Amino acid sequence: MEIEFVAAEAAVAPKTGVAQIVFEGETPAGPLAQALAASRFTGAKGQTLDLIAPAGLDLARLVLVGAGKREGFDALGAEHAGASAYNALKTSGLEILRVELPGAEAATAASVALGVRLAAYRFDKYRTKEPAEKKPSIQRAQVVAAEPDAALTAFPPLAAVADAVSFTRDLVSEPANILYPAEFARRVKELESLGLAVEILGEPEMSKLGMGSLLGVGQGSVRESQLVVIRWNGASDPSAQPIAFVGKGVCFDTGGISIKPAGGMEDMKWDMGGAGAVAGLMHVLASRKAKVNVVGILGLVENMPDANAQRPGDVVTSMSGQTIEVINTDAEGRLVLADAIWYCQDRFKPKFIVDLATLTGAIITALGNDYAGLFSNNDELAQNLLDASQKEGEPLWRMPLPEQYNKNIDSVIADMRNVSSGPAGGSITAALFIQRFVNNLPWAHLDIASTAWKKPSSVPTIPEGATGYGVRLLNRLVQEKYEG
Ligand code: BES
Ligand code: MN
Ligand code: ZN
């Protein structure tokens, strides 16, 4: 999607659909009054009214897009308006979308453009015979701005966000026969062109490090497990202590020998959404040359049933030295994170670690499909994440880490078991398990099983499918709290 910023006076080209952003209670008077009187359009947020060749106006098509009340209209509101404008005209047959918000300041116009970019995301590489009339027709978007040059200057950091979110959505959308650990690692390696340093550890290297927990998960797969280390050194002091992000990258989760039921198992191709978000975060940080040192670690495996797969009851030794009785091979994400997190803190001694993982179905039961779960041993880090979440429209809700539930993951024969003895509080006991691999440093765990994929979507900037959840939230966290 090509984006331009134009002045209100700029001529409207042929094949253009005009979307006019309207605040609630400020519906336009004049030639549209009759059309408006015949509709229920009030300008409420998310409403649209599609008018073809409106009488008295020299326009082929006009869509009114409700933005809600003028007070409280913020960057997210502008984004949603841009996205709704795109969605309304997406398959109209017109080629140019022109979004009008008279007097829009540079930052607002840039947010509108971001909304268009995010809404226009589409994963269509495997469609070979989609009829032309079903394909999106809009090729180009013009956003009207009070000062087009200033808007153009404000846009690049937001375009970097859109590029990174698209990168993550592509990874998460790919089926598991295409995107297995080595292919995921290869695509991340390509990001070196942005200035990132990418190291890839294979099974022999991980064996040497003693990562029995991560390796046990991948041992039933013909695909080699990978640990990817991504580094961005943007701080003025290249040796300044980094911050760190770790992602669960289970490229497919069958459950292993504790196999999942067939219904819906295809969803487990997106069980690498945490690693996808960390890769997207590194992408945006490098694109906008963030002034901070950051490490991103991806634990990439495929969890398969096989003659060589690990069995329920097996005991593995993690890199930390702690032993784990694998009661359920489907609780594999925490086994991957245990070694990836340990490696991260051991090698990089970061200021803090945030991990992201599509970890538990229980977080969906607890929070529904819009909120991710936040677990943290540090109130300041937790609050910073909640603030970033609010500003970026990626909802997050803090959950407890009660010490008294810790005994539920004690084992009779090893240091711990990988699942709780009962079903209660499944997301919490999973987080408590991970916490056993975190030393004395601030840490937060985001369980994004609820938010990595949307079907259907209720947010105009997120088409159905991979959301890219986490990229924006973490980018905002880094930008506001750790740069400079
Ligand atoms: N990848 C799943 C969690 C998941 C479920 C992600 C639904 C996205 C949508 C995870 O590996 C898993 O299987 N968790 C088990 C844990 C259980 C065995 C304790 C679960 O949630 O059922
Ligand atoms: Mn699982
Ligand atoms: Zn999983």
Side-chain angles (χ1 to χ4, degrees), residues 248 253 260 268 270-271 328 330-334 358-362 364 419 449:
K248 166 181 173 181
D253 180 14
K260 290 181 179 295
M268 289 301 105
W270 50 264
D271 206 18
N328 187 322
D330 196 13
E332 84 298 338
R334 62 198 77 179
T358 49
L359 205 65
T360 65
I364 306 171
V419 291

Side-chain angles (χ1 to χ4, degrees), residues 253-479:
D253 180 14
T254 62
I257 297 299
S258 313
I259 198 163
K260 290 181 179 295
M265 203 205 275
E266 68 282 2
D267 282 350
M268 289 301 105
K269 75 170 184 184
W270 50 264
D271 206 18
M272 33 57 69
V278 171
L281 170 70
M282 300 309 288
H283 189 300
V284 63
L285 295 178
S287 306
R288 59 175 192 76
K289 304 215 181 309
K291 292 187 175 48
V292 56
N293 293 345
V294 187
V295 176
I297 307 254
L298 318 178
L300 307 179
V301 300
E302 183 181 56
N303 188 21
M304 298 293 276
D306 179 79
N308 193 46
Q310 70 180 345
R311 294 150 288 259
D314 282 4
V315 174
V316 295
T317 303
S318 66
M319 186 183 173
S320 72
Q322 301 177 92
T323 56
I324 304 160
E325 187 184 9
V326 180
I327 299 294
N328 187 322
T329 64
D330 196 13
E332 84 298 338
R334 62 198 77 179
L335 297 171
V336 171
L337 289 173
D339 279 338
I341 288 175
W342 189 268
Y343 175 82
C344 179
Q345 72 188 353
D346 192 53
R347 176 170 170 195
F348 295 105
K349 315 272 183 294
K351 273 188 215 153
F352 66 74
I353 294 180
V354 176
D355 79 72
L356 285 88
T358 49
L359 205 65
T360 65
I363 201 69
I364 306 171
T365 308
L367 297 177
N369 288 109
D370 288 342
Y371 281 80
L374 163 66
F375 300 82
S376 182
N377 62 2
N378 183 283
D379 290 344
E380 187 186 337
L381 178 58
Q383 193 54 52
N384 288 344
L385 283 159
L386 290 169
D387 290 348
S389 126
Q390 187 110 45
K391 287 179 179 150
E392 293 293 322
E394 293 191 329
L396 188 61
W397 192 260
R398 189 164 181 189
M399 303 280 284
L401 282 168
E403 174 49 38
Q404 66 271 29
Y405 294 0
N406 230 319
K407 61 178 182 311
N408 299 348
I409 49 171
D410 286 340
S411 158
V412 177
I413 64 158
D415 294 335
M416 67 193 90
R417 41 192 281 152
N418 76 328
V419 291
S420 169
S421 40
S427 305
I428 299 175
T429 48
L432 286 167
F433 179 94
I434 297 170
Q435 191 173 20
R436 292 191 181 201
F437 297 86
V438 176
N439 287 331
N440 200 15
L441 81 164
W443 154 78
H445 156 61
L446 273 56
D447 192 336
I448 62 167
S450 42
T451 56
W453 189 272
K454 283 258 186 250
K455 56 173 173 189
S457 173
S458 51
V459 185
T461 46
I462 305 178
E464 178 170 344
T467 61
Y469 183 98
V471 174
R472 303 185 55 175
L473 155 57
L474 298 179
N475 178 51
R476 169 75 73 158
L477 173 83
V478 174
Q479 188 166 21

Side-chain angles (χ1 to χ4, degrees), residues 78-145:
E79 233 179 70
H80 284 186
S84 298
Y86 173 82
N87 292 336
L89 287 160
K90 176 178 173 176
T91 55
S92 58
L94 299 168
E95 287 166 15
I96 305 171
L97 165 69
R98 174 173 167 128
V99 189
E100 298 197 340
L101 175 57
E105 286 178 16
T108 306
S111 290
V112 168
L114 172 62
V116 173
R117 283 281 319 267
L118 292 171
Y121 173 80
R122 197 162 191 257
F123 187 76
D124 57 6
K125 66 193 279 199
Y126 299 118
R127 292 179 192 270
T128 66
K129 40 210 272 188
E130 188 176 32
E133 70 273 15
K134 292 214 163 144
K135 281 201 199 301
S137 56
I138 300 290
Q139 309 292 330
R140 200 140 67 85
Q142 298 177 330
V143 179
V144 171

